[in-house]
Each structure stands twice: as C-alpha cells, then as structure tokens.
Amino acid sequence: MQDIKISMIGVSGSGKTAFLSGICDTFISGNIEVKDSRNDDRSHLFKILPYQADDMSETSIGDVRRYSIRNNRNFTSVSTENTKKYMLDLFDDTYSTSVPLCSVSFIDYKGGFVGNLVNERSGDEVKDVRNELLASNVLLIFADAIRLSRAETAGEISAALGSDDINTFFNTNQFMNKKMTVLFVLTKDDSPEVTGDSELLADRIRHAFETTVRIIERNGWTYGIIRTSAVGRNCVDPVTNRITPDAEIVPYGIDSVLFYSIYRTVSEEVTALHLRISDMENASVLTKMSREYRNRMKILKTQLEESDVVLRFIRIPYNSLRVSDSLVCEVRPESGGISAVSG
C-alpha cells in the first residue's frame, strides 16, 4: 500500500519538533509493547525504522534521531526553518519480519507557514505547502497546552492555536472526494504549568476551531483530540523548567497519534477498495470478459489483501488506545457524535 502521509501544522513553539523527539524515544530507541486484547498471553512489539528514499536527500536516520530527548537531556527545541519530510517504516517485531506493516511520512512545516496559508499573494513555497496539506491522509494540528490553559480571552486562545488562519484555510479550500483524518494534538500535557483539566482544554479547542470542525463533520471525516508529552510526567523541574538529570523519559500519547492515524487511514482505504471491487463486480458481462477488467480486478484484490493485513495488526494498538487516557475525544461519522471521552 502507498505511504500514509501525515502533515503537521501549528504555530511556532506548539511542539511539532518535540513531537518528533517523542517518535524517536517511543519507537526508534526501542520497541513498544501492546497487549493483544483477544489473547492475554500474547503481546505485539511495534518499532519504527527511518528510511531514506532515493529522491529524498533532505531526510536521513541521523536527522530523525538527533531529536531524541532520552539521548540528550539538554535538548532544546528550536523553530523549524525549512519544511522537512521524515519517512518511517512501521514493523510488528513480534514476528521478526523484514517486511514493514506500512510506511508513514511525517511532514513538518515551519510554524510561520500558518499565517501565510491563507495569503493569496504568498510565494510558490507556501502554495506548495497548501497543496501538500490538501493531499494529506492525516492532518495533525498542534496545540500547546501551557499557552492554551493560560489564555483568558478568545483572542488569546486564537493566537495560541493559530485557529483563525487554520479555520480560514479549511473554509477556503476544496477537499472534494477526499477522505481525511484530523487530530488536534495537545502537547506539553505533562507540564505543571498546565491549569484546567483536559476536557476544559478540549472545549477551548472545539470552540476555537468551530469552523474547521463543522467542515470536518460535513465531509464525514473523523477527528479527535489526543493528549501528548515528549518526556512524560514528573520529568521537568518546575523551578528551572528543565528536565531533571535522573528523570526517566517516558513519552505518552505519541503512540496513540501514530496508531490512530494509521488505523483510520487504512480503514478508509479498505472501505474504498471494497466499494470499487463491488462496482466492478456489478459491471456488464461483456466488460468482465476484457483483459483490462481482469488485470484491474487482480490489482484491486491484491491491494485489499495487503491493506487487510495492516488493518488486522493495527487494530490491536488502536483498540488499546480507545481505553487509554490519551484520547480526550473522538468523533467518527458512523457514531454521530463524541464516542470516547476521558481525562
């Protein structure tokens, strides 16, 4: 199956680069174990390996791993100066196979792009970013929990989230015949500076992004709000605001974002493939006799088999996610409303 394309947007300082460090420390530094809910005696070990495509000289294993906070306690997140694409393979290491379940590409756009997305006089670079966003399978919108909890007015909330510009982007672009998953990623959730519970912050996100949420629901997309931390709880000294030397770095919510993104994307793909195969099976007998028909049907059924395999494995951590406390809320077309709330 094709790469799952995940785009990350958010204002400067919203935690996009720190999120990448969480990817490193959750999946690349070691495996993540997920219990199989259907078999208490069985676990699955998921890991990620970065890869570099022949035409992607900008991306390398070194680029991804240099963000690891676990390996660099003095890590300081800096603003992203250039758009970067991080290409990753996801494996279920339980079976020690060299074949990845799927490939995922994370695209990190610099925070300054948010304000330019809706500017029609923007240069070619911004227009390219706009087109990339429209072509994504998953859109991650980052929200800094510290800034969001401190905001007192609607204007301060909008500035903390960049919601005015993102709402305008959704309102002025066409997503015709496009299925997309949108996740609001609440970063820095571990910080003692965050005031208010997760449901209060989720309400602020839903209200600030009211226009975006309305478009998501109109298009029949899935969206959710997930709490994350790149370091884990009790790792930051509240006085110095730095990671303590003996802190155990245990990011949370990062795996939820990844597994959720993959599961929802592959689910949509499987549904679409079933529909296409069904439409072809309903074609006329004369059409079915053609070589083109047989070749096309073979390709579709092969794609369906490959996607079904991915879906079967990813359903395990996805189901685990739905009972964890990372998922603040989830709204799916088939549910007709908020189907999971915790916090």
Side-chain angles (χ1 to χ4, degrees):
M1 59 181 294
Q2 293 184 340
D3 284 11
I4 295 171
K5 188 175 182 179
I6 302 175
S7 289
M8 309 191 297
I9 61 170
V11 298
S12 295
S14 58
K16 299 189 301 298
T17 304
F19 177 84
L20 289 172
S21 78
I23 289 284
C24 291
D25 292 333
T26 301
F27 289 100
I28 297 177
S29 297
N31 295 342
I32 179 168
E33 182 176 357
V34 180
K35 287 287 186 182
D36 190 336
S37 58
R38 299 167 300 180
N39 185 342
D40 292 337
D41 298 327
R42 189 172 192 175
S43 297
H44 288 259
L45 299 174
F46 292 94
K47 72 175 181 181
I48 276 179
L49 291 177
Y51 74 92
Q52 182 173 351
D54 293 337
D55 59 344
M56 285 297 299
S57 58
E58 64 183 307
T59 308
S60 69
I61 289 177
D63 281 335
V64 177
R65 288 183 171 171
R66 70 189 176 95
Y67 295 122
S68 173
I69 294 176
R70 185 175 289 150
N71 296 331
N72 178 14
R73 297 306 176 98
N74 295 318
F75 173 87
T76 302
S77 179
V78 295
S79 298
T80 302
E81 295 296 328
N82 300 295
T83 297
K84 299 286 286 184
K85 186 173 184 178
Y86 302 94
M87 306 173 77
L88 309 168
D89 280 337
L90 177 68
F91 295 84
D92 182 347
D93 208 37
T94 309
Y95 302 99
S96 301
T97 176
S98 59
V99 180
L101 283 176
C102 61
S103 298
V104 180
S105 59
F106 279 93
I107 306 175
D108 182 13
Y109 303 102
K110 58 185 180 182
F113 268 132
V114 172
N116 292 325
L117 281 175
V118 295
N119 185 351
E120 290 301 323
R121 291 178 293 180
S122 299
D124 290 339
E125 185 181 9
V126 174
K127 291 177 182 177
D128 289 342
V129 168
R130 193 182 300 146
N131 291 333
E132 290 278 356
L133 291 173
L134 293 172
S136 299
N137 300 111
V138 182
L139 188 59
L140 306 182
I141 301 176
F142 283 75
D144 180 337
I146 299 174
R147 289 187 63 188
L148 185 59
S149 66
R150 287 176 176 171
E152 296 180 354
T153 66
E156 290 175 347
I157 292 173
S158 174
L161 298 171
S163 54
D164 285 352
D165 291 319
I166 293 173
N167 282 334
T168 302
F169 169 74
F170 271 88
N171 203 32
T172 55
N173 286 278
Q174 296 297 316
F175 297 86
M176 299 300 291
N177 301 317
K178 171 71 180 177
K179 284 292 185 180
M180 183 183 286
T181 294
V182 178
L183 281 178
F184 297 96
V185 181
L186 196 59
T187 61
K188 309 174 189 177
D189 179 71
D190 62 283
S191 174
E193 298 180 62
V194 177
T195 58
D197 60 24
S198 57
E199 186 54 37
L200 171 64
L201 299 184
D203 281 341
R204 289 188 168 189
I205 289 173
R206 283 191 288 259
H207 182 73
F209 287 103
E210 184 177 359
T211 299
T212 296
V213 169
R214 186 170 63 248
I215 293 169
I216 290 170
E217 293 176 340
R218 184 185 68 199
N219 289 347
W221 299 345
T222 299
Y223 80 88
I225 302 172
I226 295 183
R227 300 157 54 190
T228 67
S229 167
V231 294
R233 301 199 183 281
N234 305 316
C235 290
V236 178
D237 186 323
V239 177
T240 64
N241 202 31
R242 299 187 69 85
I243 299 171
T244 56
D246 58 346
E248 183 181 2
I249 305 299
V250 185
Y252 62 82
I254 307 295
D255 54 333
S256 299
V257 172
L258 183 67
F259 289 136
Y260 189 102
S261 298
I262 294 173
Y263 182 85
R264 298 309 310 177
T265 301
V266 179
S267 294
E268 294 287 357
E269 181 171 331
V270 167
T271 300
L273 286 168
H274 275 298
L275 288 173
R276 290 169 68 185
I277 290 172
S278 178
D279 287 344
M280 288 188 68
E281 288 175 340
N282 293 329
S284 68
V285 175
L286 187 61
T287 300
K288 292 179 181 178
M289 293 173 62
S290 71
R291 179 181 298 177
E292 181 182 353
Y293 173 91
R294 292 194 299 271
N295 289 340
R296 185 60 185 152
M297 183 64 84
K298 183 178 179 180
I299 291 171
L300 288 175
K301 288 187 174 180
T302 299
Q303 290 175 338
L304 180 59
E305 288 173 4
E306 292 173 350
S307 297
D308 270 333
V309 168
V310 177
L311 194 61
R312 188 166 66 248
F313 282 97
I314 295 299
R315 185 178 282 114
I316 296 165
Y318 175 77
N319 287 339
S320 175
L321 150 71
R322 288 175 56 76
V323 296
S324 74
D325 67 352
S326 293
L327 185 62
V328 178
C329 87
E330 178 188 28
V331 177
R332 292 177 287 136
E334 59 267 35
S335 70
I338 297 175
S339 58
V341 177
S342 63

